[in-house]
Each structure stands twice: as structure tokens, then as C-alpha cells.
């Protein structure tokens, strides 16, 4: 199947795929995934490759003090801010070949296409490889774009330690990728990020392109329900103060809250622990986590209020008490209407069916959106699987997304 | 409050209480409980005390090859089998002062009362201190009475190891309490065991005596529900195969099964684990335990069948599968009608209100019931608390139970 085209600008599907597959060997795992933790020697190798490739296209590489790498291809008007593409080349410990890589390597394929055609844009074009998007070595996630957007300070980022006690700053120095550019000083006219969906919707609906209108809000809670531990054999049902019974009722009701906020509301209990955890003791305490998400801040707030009530009532029914502590609140991000429209128009022009989507996961684009017009393009991934060595998208899926990235960029540049 | 009396035979409430409190110092904990694990030096000390006390009353001590100690006070007719009392002097690692001790020391108080009064029974009277009732050092519980009843072999018991690799046989030899009597060779005409309830019913209903008609049946299961692990942020509710949602629905329904088998049905989930246990991953698997109890075997079987259906359906609703493995099946025990009637008549005669009960926990009496007529007497304990250093019964509660034990014994002997 040939790649979709725009006039005479057509990305090279095969070249894109070969780059994805070849670079996947840097940190490649036996199961076909990638282990390329941020600021390790594998990360250095892929950074070196990225630098060499971009410089071969006549780009200048700017490295900021948190290690974010930005390749800039000049445009006709040097006074205009660059239009940027980007994502990340670091991976999870058992990551796949597409999460992050597709956005950077797709962007590189766009640069190669422009270069080969001798196409001159009005704006300079930038391609960014953000530092530590995954957050699996240095937590939290999206540190590089977070510093770029002013959410974290340089000092905060430098001091983050990995499990061996190595700081992010030390690791950055060790691989020689601490640059001199002040993060955020390189401003963008717009930022487009191509990414695999990491969810099942596009695949289920057989759609090649997701037009991402924002990133959902997310609130995380630790919940503890305390009732009374007692003997499973000697405590009749009416005398029980069973924390697990309270938990089960709360869990059913919490799920219902998400269903009542369809189609976007999400509620997840990922961790649960019964105490004292003995087969013949009625749990006196249940600790669990709650992850609530919605793209609309007020709906998310409503979900939270409902959740607190549901948990409290469940505990009360079993003569217990509940303590809920919220330890993370990431508000929804709404992407720029102009950037979103450019993505939608690009896909329409190419005859690629789309659906509007809200990103369920965090991305560097969630931070760039704080400082410049931003949008994202999603492509399907098999079974919605990500953060997994079996993560998979097809050559056509990757090419479609990359062609849309190119089209959106050109259209935005021509405005 | 004076102790209840029978004719001129009245137990000495104060003496009983002092014995309970004094012996609680052997292995006594700072929080007022006892740590007297079976076959430790603390156990040896209490055994030595028990032997000395019984011998001082003219009893003969018989020790069998699994360490069960039986004190025998002669009766008028040596050809009659002894009528026995008993329980255990070992405790949990953070045990209380009454679980087990009350049955043995209450029995000793009965012997002292008979001795002091010069009362001659028809049958010999036996008092047993069973080895390793708690099972917390050498698992399972009730090993001594189990060997006595022929449920376990001597070789099996001898080979059980504690966490340090010491076998029960070695520990028995080390404290010098392996006797020569073949377990089970000393047959009883009847066996009465006084025990704290270890549950809340008597206290809640303000009743001093529980007439225990049997031990409920108990079936233990490991359950695993497998669905599909996926991302909490990118997986819309309708696409989820959430093992925790399946579990919560199953847990609510399992509780309902117990409620539908009121007043005796019990269902407990004591342990639950979500996998992979990450706040933003929908659990792909939930493992949990299920403890079902009922005094009637056919009702317990019905509960089990319902439980399997409920679990299977919950897994199916979330497009998952369930695997249930039953790993313990302890059938209900029905105590001897004659022994139960003797306990009931004794309490009635003393004007002590009673209720019929079924023991929720296992006791040595559950094993003796397999080989001789058996019944139990329960007394209240504070908040139903047991296997806990705060386990507590009052002097009067202990005295009431002990007087009922004496009465029942005398009545049974006079039949």
C-alpha cells in the first residue's frame, strides 16, 4: 500500500519503518521490545544517532540544561518561532518499539521528506526529543517537558534519584547530554506530537487516526477503610464489621460513578490490601488506591465528590470509618483549537477517517500545551497494549500518522 | 458475687481466678497476654505445674507418645471409663489468658473441689491437657487430640516442622514430655470442654452460658479471577476486562449467600491481592481466599455450589475466567445429645440462662467427638476478642462456666 501523499510531499513508509526497527535494536530485548531507560548508555546511543541523523539534514541541534534535544531546520523567515514536532526516545523497562519513538522518528521522517524535496517552510521546523518522559528511572514522568514548561525547576529535576541513588543531574552529565540552552527559552509557534493511542478505541473502531483534543484530568487517592478485625468462625454475619464487605460495595459503586459519567469517566482500583490478611480473620482494614479520570474538570470534581460519599457510606454500613487522601491532581488539558483543526483537516484531506479523542495517558504535549499551541495525533496499536514488549502498530498505521503529521505541519506553516 | 452451688459442691471462684492469673505469668507478655507456644520451655513449665497440681490431688498422670497429659482421679468403679474434662495450655504467639487455659484450669478447679469435699464419683474423672491445640508453632491446629482420635498418625505428628526446622517430635523429646501411653488407648466415657466463646454472641445477648451442640463445618477455597490487565487512563469502561470489578461483585454476592443461610451461614474473604498491583493499571488478576462455614453439611454444600456459580458469573460478566480450588474441608461435628443435655440441665439447675450454640472455631472436642460422647460449655469473652493479648473474661464468667462443668460432670456420672 503506497503512503498517502500531499502534492509532491510523501513520507517514505519503508524508510520510516526501517528507522523504527533499526533503532529498536538499541536496548532491544529478546521479546522484541526495548529497554532504553532515560540517561543510560542506551539512551546516549539513541541520542547520538538522533543528532547525527538531524545534522545530516542540515539541522542545528540545541541541547538544554535538562537534556532536551531540539533539532532545528531553518525556514524562510528566521524571525518566526519554529513549529515543533516531538516525543521521546526513552522507554519503560519492558517497553515497546512505538511509545515515544514513533513521535520522534516520525518527525525525523517528516524532516527527511522536506529535505529530500527541498521544501522550504515559512517557519523554522523543530523536532524535539524530550528527556525522561517515562519516569520509570527518574520519577515522575515527563520531567524534560515539565522543566521546559516551567512546571519543575532545573534544581528539582537534577536532584531526582533513581533506585541506585544516582541523580538525574549526575546521569545527564555522565552521558554528556547536559546542554547550555535554558529550558523554555526556545519558544515554539506550535507543537504537534504523534503517538500510539495506548488504548483500544481506534483498533476497535477500525479508524486510522485519532484527533486528540486534550488530555484528561486525573486524580489519585489512597483510601483506607477501618472496621473491626474478628474471627471468621465465631462472628455471626450481623455482628461483623467487615472492612472487605465495605470495600466490595464501595468498589461496585465507584465503578458505577464512572459509568454514570460515560463516555469519558474512568474509575480504577489498581491496588487493594486486606489486613491482617489471614484466611480466617475478617479484615479489620482495607487499603486501596483509586484513580479517577475525566477530560472535564468540573465533571471530574463531581466524580470525586460522589466517590467520597460512596466510600463513606460503604464504611458506615459496616460500622467503620474511611480515610481518603488525594495525593495527585493533574487537571485536564485542552489542546489548541487551531492545532487540532490542522490535524483534523490533514486527515480529512488524506481521506483517513478520524475520531476526536482525549488522551488517557500523560504526554509531553500536556506540558507544551501550557506554553504553546499544541495538538496530538494518535494511531492505533494492537489490543491497546503499551508499556509492554508486545506493543505493536503496523507499518501502514505508522505511515498514516506520520503523513498526517507532515500535512498538519505544512498546513499550519502556510496559515 | 458468690459462685453458684450444687448441693455442697461449690467451686472456689477466687482460687480458680488466682490459678488463671498466676499461671498466666508463664510466658506472660507485657500487654497482659500469654506467649506459650507448644513444646517450648514455657510449655514445659506449665506442664510441670499441671502435673504437680494434679498429683497433689492424688491423681495419676498419664502421658501419651504425642505429649497429651491426662490426670486421672479414681472413682468408685475402676471398670468404668473415665469421664473427662480438658482443653489446652499452649497459646498463640500473642494469645490471651483464657483460650484453652480456662478449660484445663477450670477442670483442675473441679478436681480440687471434688478432692476438698472428698466426693467420690462412680467413674474415674480425667483431666486432659492436649498437645499443640493452637497449631501456631506446629501446623495444623489440634494435633494432640487429632492423634488421640486417630485423625493423624504419630509419625505424621512427629514430622511436623516449625519455622526453624525443628520437628514436633524433637521438641517433644527436648522438653521431656513424650510419654509411653499409646494415644487413644485411654478411652473416655464422655468428654466435656469448657472454653471461652471467642465470639460476641453471649456478651451481646448477656447470657452467661452457651450450650455447644457441635462444631460448624468449614470449607476453604483459593480463588483466582483472570481478566485482562490494561491501562487505567486509556481503556474506556466498556472495553475493560477488570478483574477487580469482577471480584467486587463476587464479594458482595458471596456475603449475600451467607446472609441467605442465616443465622448460621458464614462467608469470609480474608485475603485479596490484585495483580499487577499498580495504581494506574486495571488489575488483570485477583486472587482471594474464601472461608465458608455452616453447622449443617448439606447447607454448607449448597453454599459452596452457590459460591462457585456467583464467582463464575462475576468473572464472565467481565469477560474473565475463574479458578476455584478447595483446599480444606472440615465437616460439621454434632455433639452427643446426652452430654449436651447434661450441660443444659446443669446450667438450668444453677439458674444460669443459656443459649444453644455451634462452635465457630475448631477445638479438641471436635476430635474427641469422633471417639467418645462429647459436649462443650462456652462462657462470654469481652468483645468476642480472642487470639489476642486483650482477650478477657471476668472472674464470675469463668466461675459460672466451671460450676456448670462440675455440675454436668456429676450429673453425667450419676446417670
Amino acid at each position: 500500500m503506497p503512503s498517502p501523499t500531499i502534492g509532491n510531499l510523501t513520507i517514505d513508509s519503508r524508510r520510516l519503518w526501517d528507522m523504527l526497527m533499526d533503532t529498536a535494536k538499541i536496548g532491544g530485548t529478546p521479546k522484541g521490545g526495548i529497554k532504553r531507560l532515560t540517561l543510560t548508555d542506551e539512551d546516549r546511543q539513541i541520542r547520538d544517532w538522533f543528532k547525527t541523523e538531524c545534522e545530516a539534514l542540515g539541522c542545528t541541534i540545541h541541547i538544554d540544561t535538562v537534556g532536551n534535544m531540539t533539532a532545528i531546520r531553518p525556514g524562510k523567515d528566521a524571525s518566526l518561532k519554529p513549529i515543533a514536532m516531538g516525543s521521546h526516545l526513552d522507554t519503560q523497562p519492558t517497553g515497546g518499539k512505538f511509545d515515544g519513538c514513533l513521535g520522534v522518528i516520525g518527525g525525523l521522517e517528516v524532516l527527511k521528506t522536506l529535505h529530500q524535496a527541498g521544501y522550504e517552510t515559512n517557519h523554522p521546523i523543530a523536532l524535539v526529543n524530550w528527556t525522561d518522559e517515562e519516569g520509570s528511572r527518574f520519577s515522575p514522568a515527563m520531567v524534560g517537558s515539565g522543566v521546559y514548561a516551567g512546571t519543575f525547576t532545573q534544581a528539582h529535576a537534577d536532584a531526582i534519584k533513581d533506585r541506585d541513588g544516582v541523580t538525574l543531574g549526575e546521569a545527564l552529565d555522565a552521558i554528556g547530554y547536559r546542554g547550555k540552552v535554558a529550558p523554555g527559552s526556545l519558544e515554539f509557534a506550535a507543537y504537534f506530537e504523534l503517538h500510539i493511542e495506548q488504548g483500544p478505541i481506534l483498533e476497535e473502531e477500525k479508524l486510522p487516526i485519532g484527533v486528540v483534543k486534550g488530555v484528561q484530568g486525573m486524580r489519585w487517592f489512597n483510601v483506607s477503610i477501618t472496621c473491626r478485625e474478628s474471627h471468621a468462625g465465631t462472628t455471626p454475619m450481623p455482628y461483623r464489621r467487615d472492612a472487605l464487605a465495605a470495600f466490595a460495595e464501595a468498589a461496585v459503586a465507584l465503578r458505577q460513578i464512572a459509568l454514570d459519567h460515560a463516555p469519558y469517566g474512568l474509575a480504577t482500583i489498581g491496588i487493594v490490601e486486606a489486613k491482617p490478611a489471614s484466611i480466617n480473620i475478617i479484615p479489620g482494614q482495607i487499603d486501596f488506591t483509586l484513580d479517577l479520570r475525566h477530560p472535564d474538570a468540573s465533571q471530574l470534581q463531581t466524580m470525586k465528590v460522589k466517590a467520597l460519599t460512596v466510600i463513606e457510606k460503604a464504611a458506615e454500613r459496616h460500622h467503620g470509618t474511611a480515610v481518603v487522601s488525594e495525593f495527585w491532581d493533574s487537571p485536564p488539558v485542552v489542546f489548541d483549537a487551531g492545532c487540532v483543526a490542522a490535524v483534523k483537516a490533514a486527515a480529512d484531506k488524506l481521506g483517513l477517517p478520524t475520531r476526536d479523542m482525549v488522551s488517557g495517558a500523560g504526554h509531553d504535549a500536556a506540558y507544551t500545551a501550557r506554553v504553546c499551541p499544541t495538538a496530538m495525533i494518535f494511531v492505533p496499536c494492537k489490543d491497546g497494549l503499551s508499556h509492554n514488549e508486545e506493543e505493536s502498530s503496523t507499518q501502514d498505521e505508522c505511515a498514516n500518522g506520520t503523513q498526517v503529521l507532515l500535512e498538519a505541519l505544512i498546513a499550519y506553516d502556510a496559515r
Side-chain angles (χ1 to χ4, degrees), chain A:
Chain A
M1 178 176 161
S3 301
T5 59
I6 167 173
N8 58 347
L9 282 182
T10 306
I11 67 112
D12 184 332
S13 167
R14 180 78 222 177
R15 183 171 58 194
L16 169 66
W17 188 252
D18 287 346
M19 284 195 286
L20 285 167
M21 295 304 114
D22 288 350
T23 55
K25 291 170 190 160
I26 301 175
T29 65
K31 285 186 183 171
I34 304 180
K35 179 183 181 177
R36 199 158 62 210
L37 296 180
T38 193
L39 306 182
T40 56
D41 191 63
E42 289 77 21
D43 191 21
R44 181 194 58 74
Q45 289 177 53
I46 193 74
R47 284 166 176 266
D48 289 352
W49 173 86
F50 175 74
K51 185 166 177 285
T52 305
E53 289 285 316
C54 293
E55 286 177 343
L57 302 175
C59 298
T60 322
I61 300 287
H62 304 259
I63 303 173
D64 71 15
T65 53
V66 74
N68 296 319
M69 302 175 73
T70 305
I72 296 191
R73 180 177 187 266
K76 289 177 195 165
D77 186 346
S79 74
L80 294 174
K81 290 179 186 169
I83 297 171
M85 307 172 286
S87 196
H88 58 96
L89 292 169
D90 69 321
T91 76
Q92 291 278 327
T94 53
K97 291 191 286 283
F98 302 91
D99 174 5
C101 303
L102 178 60
V104 178
I105 295 172
L108 180 58
E109 175 53 34
V110 168
L111 291 182
K112 287 192 178 190
T113 304
L114 295 175
H115 181 72
Q116 204 160 20
Y119 188 97
E120 258 199 304
T121 49
N122 296 311
H123 291 256
I125 302 299
L127 174 60
V128 191
N129 171 34
W130 301 104
T131 295
D132 189 25
E133 195 276 344
E134 293 292 1
S136 43
R137 181 177 177 196
F138 298 105
S139 181
M142 306 180 287
V143 169
S145 52
V147 173
Y148 174 85
T151 304
F152 307 123
T153 63
Q154 177 77 45
H156 175 82
D158 275 342
I160 301 169
K161 285 185 182 170
D162 68 11
R163 287 181 192 171
D164 299 326
V166 177
T167 66
L168 185 147
E170 287 163 356
L172 193 55
D173 292 331
I175 66 159
Y177 269 93
R178 192 195 292 274
K180 294 197 175 355
V181 177
S185 62
L186 197 57
E187 295 180 359
F188 301 137
Y191 175 82
F192 292 92
E193 184 166 349
L194 169 64
H195 208 284
I196 57 169
E197 179 196 341
Q198 302 183 283
I201 301 173
L202 293 174
E203 183 186 45
E204 288 275 352
E205 301 187 1
K206 301 191 196 316
L207 296 171
I209 299 293
V211 177
V212 188
K213 302 185 78 172
V215 181
Q216 66 190 348
M218 169 169 63
R219 302 178 80 157
W220 282 2
F221 307 87
N222 282 321
V223 186
S224 189
I225 294 178
T226 302
C227 290
R228 188 182 57 193
E229 173 184 329
S230 59
H231 192 297
T234 59
T235 316
M237 299 305 283
Y239 293 110
R240 294 180 176 214
R241 294 172 53 193
D242 183 346
L244 191 127
F247 165 73
E249 291 168 18
V252 169
L254 290 167
R255 182 177 146 78
Q256 190 57 47
I257 291 172
L259 295 172
D260 291 344
H261 287 255
Y264 291 118
L266 300 176
T268 305
I269 295 168
I271 302 173
V272 58
E273 190 187 359
K275 291 175 181 171
S278 172
I279 184 166
N280 59 349
I281 299 180
I282 298 156
Q285 188 177 332
I286 298 280
D287 297 335
F288 66 100
T289 60
L290 175 64
D291 170 323
L292 294 179
R293 306 198 190 202
H294 200 286
D296 179 84
S298 76
Q299 294 229 37
L300 184 54
Q301 174 62 20
T302 306
M303 287 173 67
K304 175 191 162 169
V305 171
K306 285 183 185 174
L308 295 183
T309 305
V310 148
I311 292 165
E312 198 182 332
K313 287 199 172 162
E316 272 175 13
R317 274 195 301 276
H318 295 274
H319 312 289
T321 55
V323 175
V324 182
S325 82
E326 181 169 3
F327 67 98
W328 180 254
D329 178 1
S330 173
V333 175
V334 178
F335 286 154
D336 176 72
C339 289
V340 170
V343 170
K344 171 69 174 151
D348 287 351
K349 208 166 160 190
L350 293 163
L352 294 170
T354 65
R355 69 166 282 167
D356 290 351
M357 303 189 76
V358 174
S359 174
H363 291 290
D364 293 309
Y367 281 136
T368 65
R370 299 192 179 188
V371 291
C372 74
T374 293
M376 290 187 76
I377 303 156
F378 274 175
V379 296
C381 59
K382 191 168 184 313
D383 298 330
L385 210 60
S386 186
H387 289 190
N388 190 304
E389 290 159 282
E390 290 175 32
E391 181 184 272
S392 165
S393 290
T394 66
Q395 184 176 332
D396 283 349
E397 285 163 347
C398 293
N400 284 333
T402 304
Q403 188 67 31
V404 170
L405 177 63
L406 170 61
E407 297 274 355
L409 190 85
I410 295 301
Y412 202 87
D413 178 64
R415 294 200 319 175

